[in-house]
Structures are given as C-alpha cells and as structure tokens.
Amino acid sequence: IQGGFDIYPNPASNMVSINGINDFRYAEIINQNGVAVKTVNTATFSVEDLNVGVYAIKVFTDQKTYVSKLAKD
C-alpha cells in the first residue's frame, strides 16, 4: 500500500480500483504536464480513455489528500 491506499491493477489497461480508503470523495488523474486529465467520483473506474504513460493520481478524502503513481499500458 502506497500513501495509505492501493491501486490495482497497476499498470492497468482498462479498469482500476482504489482500495484502503474509507472516506473516498474523488480522485484526479494528472498527466506529466501537471494537467488533470480525468476526475472520477468512484473508487473503481475506467482508464481506457487515457493514453499509454505514467500519471499521478491524487485521491481526496474528507481529511487528507493522497498522491501516488498510475501507469497506463
């Protein structure tokens, strides 16, 4: 578990799940230019629309913001 949560599978090609966060609010997928390319409000979501590459993922809860990496293959 990175940063208090787990992203599975990682790398991913279609669906991703965020586990280990009880008060999940939403997540932003951020490209290498620092631009949020996707915002999701569920802990399981599709990444099929993302280009192949490495992204930062910011997970927002009621109390904290967690950051990790997500690879799209």
Side-chain angles (χ1 to χ4, degrees):
I1 294 180
Q2 281 186 321
F5 67 99
D6 183 42
I7 302 169
Y8 182 82
N10 193 5
S13 56
N14 45 32
M15 296 299 290
V16 171
S17 292
I18 299 170
N19 302 308
I21 294 183
N22 294 329
D23 56 348
F24 176 89
R25 289 183 53 221
Y26 67 97
E28 290 180 344
I29 313 301
I30 300 162
N31 68 17
Q32 293 179 352
N33 295 322
V35 177
V37 293
K38 184 171 187 132
T39 301
V40 296
N41 58 10
T42 59
T44 299
F45 56 93
S46 173
V47 295
E48 289 181 87
D49 57 329
L50 298 177
N51 293 326
V52 171
V54 177
Y55 296 83
I57 181 167
K58 290 176 92 173
V59 178
F60 296 86
T61 70
D62 292 332
Q63 302 294 323
K64 288 181 154 183
T65 301
Y66 300 93
V67 179
S68 190
K69 290 186 178 175
L70 171 65
K72 167 67 180 353
D73 62 5

